[in-house]
Amino acid sequence: MDNPILVEVSRGRLVESRHRGSVAVVDAEGSTVLTLGDVERRVFPRSAVKALQALPLVENGIADKYGLTDEEIALACASHSGEPDHVRVAASMLAKAGQNESCLECGAHWPLGDAATRALAASGGQPTQLHNNCSGKHAGFICLACGLGDDPKGYVKSQHPVQQAVRHALEDLTGASHTEDVSGIDGCSIPTYAIPLPALAFGFAKFGSGVGISPGCKAASERIRTAVARHPFMVAGTGRFDTKLMDILGERAFVKTGAEGVYCAAFPELGYGIALKADDGAGRAAEAMMAALILRFLRLDDNERAMIDAMAQPILKNWNGIEVGRIRATQELMV
Amino acid sequence: MDNPILVEVSRGRLVESRHRGSVAVVDAEGSTVLTLGDVERRVFPRSAVKALQALPLVENGIADKYGLTDEEIALACASHSGEPDHVRVAASMLAKAGQNESCLECGAHWPLGDAATRALAASGGQPTQLHNNCSGKHAGFICLACGLGDDPKGYVKSQHPVQQAVRHALEDLTGASHTEDVSGIDGCSIPTYAIPLPALAFGFAKFGSGVGISPGCKAASERIRTAVARHPFMVAGTGRFDTKLMDILGERAFVKTGAEGVYCAAFPELGYGIALKADDGAGRAAEAMMAALILRFLRLDDNERAMIDAMAQPILKNWNGIEVGRIRATQELMV
């Protein structure tokens, strides 16, 4: 089955590029609200499930044990831009568990944020593991290991108690099996398990609504959603799509991007969970798709609608600031 | 018509992302060697035609008038990484025409090359128009304007003699109409005209073989191909795909990437021209497709084959250097 074209990129009067994709919107009872394209195919959720991966940290009382702040809990769900505040908060999480940057096993890379990279280079600095966009999630994993009394060493391995707890949380919420045959290694070295989009969307519907999950999981989900809504900068960074969307919508939409064109969301007021993927892995397509689904499902005032409409159909400008084209979600999504 | 999947990106045992595309391979007589997908649809060639856009500069004797070197002619065909040698050569071209950076109308941006950007930031510098990846092409346009006795001001506009000369060269070579209704504005502000892939491939077949074009155009084409083959660093930069391919193959393959997943090539020994586009605009897909077509059509020794095979199926590693997956051209291309 060929997935439909869900995003077009125009230049002048012509369509220059086309993105296909698939979408699942599911409610908290597990009923399908919308599917587009082949939603049976398993998809690696990558960083889009970081909030679900942070549930054991909060649900087991470890976040409270170490007195993690809302900023720190938000950073545990982040693919951050490596800006100074992200680095500071990741270091603070590690210090609370009596650890430091040397315990991280995510690897170092230059900040995702271009301005942050240039500022770091201008200061004569080099990136550390704290600059890795996943450092907050990994700092959370180390807090979890230490809080449970486990040696954090090797916490990225699938056999480690941390990854077992994370896997169980994901299996519980999505109902999808997390077995070796559907596993891969993520950019930050932890295992990632491919999940059909409806199961992923169902997991986010539960995460957003608290329906069908234990009181402990419900409380942990609320704590995480509140923390992220209060600090949307922490989950992404300056000018990033997740940050902008949650700056506008607050707790009304929890959204999280993942590599290779994955995007997940929860709309608590509707009890909906969303999971989508651009076939080709393009982030620009996944972003336009998510903005279009927000326009379609959420009740927005004129101001919110205008801001999110601009994110669903961003204008492309060249190096001289001249408008050259547009990215546009297609009618199939906008209806 | 749905274009075929020509590149797959795997993670673990699963395919994570898929790229569709179209391909035209045409010989110097205009006969079709291979087409895949919908090749009637017009495609903006973007930077993939920079070598053809440089023809008027050489053919009109302006390159000789100003004593442009092979490095400078190669840079006129470049989407360069903004490394110090690129910036130096662009400035030298302008100086030969009695001009300087302030005449450029391409806009400034931080270097395409990450290492070049960090080095510039570390030195406390800011990008100028010379760092724009198109600065060599624009310096060539300014040489052309000055050499023809025209005011270079406004040389990016479609009515300027420079863009008229460029448009005529492209129309001559490809046989495709270059009219307003199929035009767009490129990233560097010059007009770009959408062309069906077979016409684009035919243009490159003529450019590579000299068949069916005037003696002057043939000589200019040879001069450009030789200059690029001698200085493949100039057309792209450190670690870039074009540079690596031509470092391996020399004059046997002229290859040039363009934005939004376009790639063009000429194989002079076969008289073939190639034009391809990844539907979604992904450069990683266009690169794997081009490497696969080189493996398919060119006679290579074991060493060359091994190097280019690695470029057609690059291994993806994460931040810890662990292999996580692969980009692979599909059988449809490799056969």
Side-chain angles (χ1 to χ4, degrees), chain A residues 239-254:
Chain A
R240 295 267 305 279
F241 211 78
D242 281 340
T243 298
K244 284 162 68 182
L245 275 179
M246 291 191 285
D247 268 337
I248 298 168
L249 295 170
E251 292 203 41
R252 298 187 60 202
F254 175 91

Side-chain angles (χ1 to χ4, degrees), chain A residues 53-138:
Chain A
Q53 291 171 327
L55 282 169
L57 173 71
V58 179
E59 194 176 350
N60 289 319
I62 313 296
D64 284 336
K65 176 176 176 173
Y66 290 128
L68 296 190
T69 64
D70 280 348
E71 277 193 323
E72 289 165 342
I73 291 174
L75 195 76
C77 310
S79 300
H80 65 71
S81 292
E83 298 175 67
D85 278 340
H86 299 124
V87 171
R88 171 183 60 76
V89 172
S92 159
M93 293 172 73
L94 290 167
K96 286 182 174 176
Q99 305 292 337
N100 61 43
E101 185 260 345
S102 67
C103 283
L104 290 171
E105 298 180 6
C106 49
H109 64 72
W110 285 91
L112 280 195
D114 291 341
T117 283
R118 295 194 300 261
L120 181 60
S123 73
Q126 286 288 326
T128 69
Q129 295 195 91
L130 292 171
H131 294 93
N132 185 307
N133 75 88
C134 302
S135 68
K137 177 177 75 174
H138 282 244

Side-chain angles (χ1 to χ4, degrees), chain A residues 2 11 16-20 46 105 110 118 185-187 189 260 277 279-280 284 318 320, chain B residues 2 11 16-20 46 105 110 118 185-187 189 260 277 279-280 284 318 320:
Chain A
D2 285 334
R11 181 171 299 267
E16 181 166 29
S17 296
R18 291 156 181 85
H19 298 279
R20 294 169 185 269
R46 310 291 301 275
E105 298 180 6
W110 285 91
R118 295 194 300 261
I185 300 170
D186 214 325
S189 293
E260 292 293 331
K277 177 169 163 68
D279 287 6
D280 51 71
R284 68 179 182 185
N318 74 3
N320 283 319
Chain B
D2 285 334
R11 181 170 300 266
E16 183 166 27
S17 297
R18 293 157 180 83
H19 298 279
R20 294 169 185 271
R46 310 292 302 273
E105 298 180 6
W110 286 90
R118 296 193 300 260
I185 301 169
D186 214 325
S189 293
E260 291 294 329
K277 176 167 164 68
D279 286 6
D280 52 70
R284 68 179 182 184
N318 74 3
N320 284 318

Side-chain angles (χ1 to χ4, degrees), chain B:
Chain B
M1 170 176 175
D2 285 334
N3 285 338
I5 293 170
L6 298 178
V7 176
E8 291 179 337
V9 182
S10 65
R11 181 170 300 266
R13 295 176 208 165
L14 305 184
V15 173
E16 183 166 27
S17 297
R18 293 157 180 83
H19 298 279
R20 294 169 185 271
S22 47
V23 175
V25 184
V26 173
D27 72 17
E29 277 74 39
S31 301
T32 299
V33 178
L34 170 73
T35 66
L36 295 171
D38 175 2
V39 294
E40 296 311 310
R41 190 149 78 193
R42 282 179 180 249
V43 162
F44 286 113
R46 310 292 302 273
S47 292
V49 289
K50 276 175 175 167
L52 311 189
Q53 291 171 327
L55 282 168
L57 173 71
V58 179
E59 194 175 350
N60 289 320
I62 313 296
D64 284 336
K65 174 175 178 174
Y66 291 127
L68 296 189
T69 64
D70 281 347
E71 277 193 321
E72 289 165 343
I73 290 174
L75 195 76
C77 310
S79 300
H80 65 70
S81 292
E83 298 176 67
D85 278 341
H86 300 124
V87 171
R88 173 184 58 76
V89 173
S92 160
M93 293 172 73
L94 290 167
K96 286 181 176 177
Q99 305 292 337
N100 60 40
E101 185 260 346
S102 67
C103 283
L104 290 170
E105 298 180 6
C106 49
H109 66 72
W110 286 90
L112 280 195
D114 290 341
T117 282
R118 296 193 300 260
L120 181 60
S123 74
Q126 286 287 326
T128 69
Q129 295 195 91
L130 293 171
H131 294 93
N132 185 309
N133 75 89
C134 303
S135 68
K137 177 178 74 173
H138 282 246
F141 287 159
I142 289 170
C143 287
L144 178 59
C146 294
L148 294 174
D150 291 311
D151 182 354
K153 194 168 163 52
Y155 71 87
V156 296
K157 300 283 180 200
S158 61
Q159 308 82 350
H160 192 280
V162 162
Q163 296 309 326
Q164 291 191 22
V166 167
R167 190 171 69 245
H168 290 146
L170 263 294
E171 281 183 327
D172 265 7
L173 232 60
T174 64
S177 61
H178 279 49
T179 46
E180 267 307 297
D181 57 315
V182 295
S183 76
I185 301 169
D186 214 325
C188 64
S189 293
I190 70 161
T192 176
Y193 299 89
I195 303 172
L197 290 178
L200 201 50
F202 189 30
F204 273 91
K206 295 180 190 168
F207 172 77
S209 67
V211 174
I213 55 179
S214 70
C217 184
K218 183 180 177 191
S221 299
E222 282 175 9
R223 172 97 186 266
I224 290 171
R225 287 191 289 105
T226 303
V228 169
R230 285 179 184 159
H231 300 283
F233 171 81
M234 279 295 143
V235 291
T238 305
R240 294 269 304 279
F241 211 79
D242 281 339
T243 298
K244 284 162 69 182
L245 275 178
M246 292 191 285
D247 268 337
I248 297 168
L249 294 170
E251 293 203 42
R252 299 188 59 203
F254 175 91
V255 293
K256 181 69 188 72
T257 189
E260 291 294 329
V262 175
Y263 224 128
C264 289
F267 299 158
E269 70 198 47
L270 300 171
Y272 289 0
I274 294 185
L276 63 84
K277 176 167 164 68
D279 286 6
D280 52 70
R284 68 179 182 184
E287 289 177 353
M289 289 159 72
M290 182 54 76
L293 291 168
I294 289 173
L295 290 173
R296 179 167 173 160
F297 289 113
L298 283 184
R299 234 184 155 74
L300 304 170
D301 66 30
D302 290 350
N303 189 34
E304 290 165 343
R305 180 161 291 276
M307 286 190 287
I308 293 169
D309 196 61
M311 297 173 79
Q313 307 186 53
I315 293 171
L316 299 173
K317 294 186 177 178
N318 74 3
W319 301 115
N320 284 318
I322 301 169
E323 176 173 341
V324 293
R326 230 171 169 141
I327 299 173
R328 261 202 197 88
T330 58
Q331 275 309 309
E332 200 141 0
L333 271 169
M334 302 288 274
V335 166

Side-chain angles (χ1 to χ4, degrees), chain A:
Chain A
M1 170 176 173
D2 285 334
N3 286 337
I5 293 171
L6 297 179
V7 176
E8 292 180 337
V9 182
S10 65
R11 181 171 299 267
R13 293 174 211 168
L14 304 184
V15 173
E16 181 166 29
S17 296
R18 291 156 181 85
H19 298 279
R20 294 169 185 269
S22 47
V23 175
V25 184
V26 173
D27 71 17
E29 277 74 39
S31 301
T32 299
V33 176
L34 170 72
T35 66
L36 295 170
D38 176 2
V39 293
E40 296 310 311
R41 188 149 80 191
R42 282 177 180 251
V43 162
F44 286 115
R46 310 291 301 275
S47 292
V49 289
K50 277 176 175 165
L52 311 189
Q53 291 171 327
L55 282 169
L57 173 71
V58 179
E59 194 176 350
N60 289 319
I62 313 296
D64 284 336
K65 176 176 176 173
Y66 290 128
L68 296 190
T69 64
D70 280 348
E71 277 193 323
E72 289 165 342
I73 291 174
L75 195 76
C77 310
S79 300
H80 65 71
S81 292
E83 298 175 67
D85 278 340
H86 299 124
V87 171
R88 171 183 60 76
V89 172
S92 159
M93 293 172 73
L94 290 167
K96 286 182 174 176
Q99 305 292 337
N100 61 43
E101 185 260 345
S102 67
C103 283
L104 290 171
E105 298 180 6
C106 49
H109 64 72
W110 285 91
L112 280 195
D114 291 341
T117 283
R118 295 194 300 261
L120 181 60
S123 73
Q126 286 288 326
T128 69
Q129 295 195 91
L130 292 171
H131 294 93
N132 185 307
N133 75 88
C134 302
S135 68
K137 177 177 75 174
H138 282 244
F141 287 159
I142 289 171
C143 288
L144 178 59
C146 294
L148 294 173
D150 291 312
D151 182 355
K153 196 171 160 53
Y155 72 86
V156 296
K157 300 285 181 197
S158 61
Q159 308 84 352
H160 192 281
V162 162
Q163 295 309 327
Q164 291 191 23
V166 167
R167 189 170 71 247
H168 290 145
L170 263 295
E171 282 184 325
D172 265 7
L173 231 59
T174 64
S177 61
H178 280 48
T179 47
E180 266 308 298
D181 56 315
V182 295
S183 76
I185 300 170
D186 214 325
C188 64
S189 293
I190 71 162
T192 176
Y193 298 90
I195 302 173
L197 289 178
L200 200 51
F202 189 29
F204 273 91
K206 294 180 191 168
F207 172 77
S209 66
V211 174
I213 55 178
S214 70
C217 183
K218 182 180 176 190
S221 299
E222 282 176 8
R223 173 97 186 264
I224 289 170
R225 287 190 289 104
T226 303
V228 169
R230 286 180 183 157
H231 301 282
F233 171 81
M234 279 295 142
V235 292
T238 305
R240 295 267 305 279
F241 211 78
D242 281 340
T243 298
K244 284 162 68 182
L245 275 179
M246 291 191 285
D247 268 337
I248 298 168
L249 295 170
E251 292 203 41
R252 298 187 60 202
F254 175 91
V255 293
K256 182 69 189 73
T257 190
E260 292 293 331
V262 175
Y263 223 129
C264 290
F267 299 159
E269 69 198 47
L270 299 170
Y272 289 0
I274 294 185
L276 64 84
K277 177 169 163 68
D279 287 6
D280 51 71
R284 68 179 182 185
E287 289 177 352
M289 289 159 72
M290 182 55 76
L293 291 169
I294 289 173
L295 291 173
R296 178 167 173 160
F297 288 114
L298 284 184
R299 234 185 154 74
L300 303 170
D301 66 30
D302 289 350
N303 189 35
E304 290 166 342
R305 179 160 293 277
M307 285 191 286
I308 294 170
D309 195 62
M311 297 173 80
Q313 307 186 55
I315 293 170
L316 300 173
K317 294 185 177 179
N318 74 3
W319 302 116
N320 283 319
I322 300 168
E323 177 173 341
V324 294
R326 234 176 164 137
I327 300 174
R328 261 202 197 90
T330 58
Q331 276 309 309
E332 200 140 4
L333 270 169
M334 302 289 274
V335 166

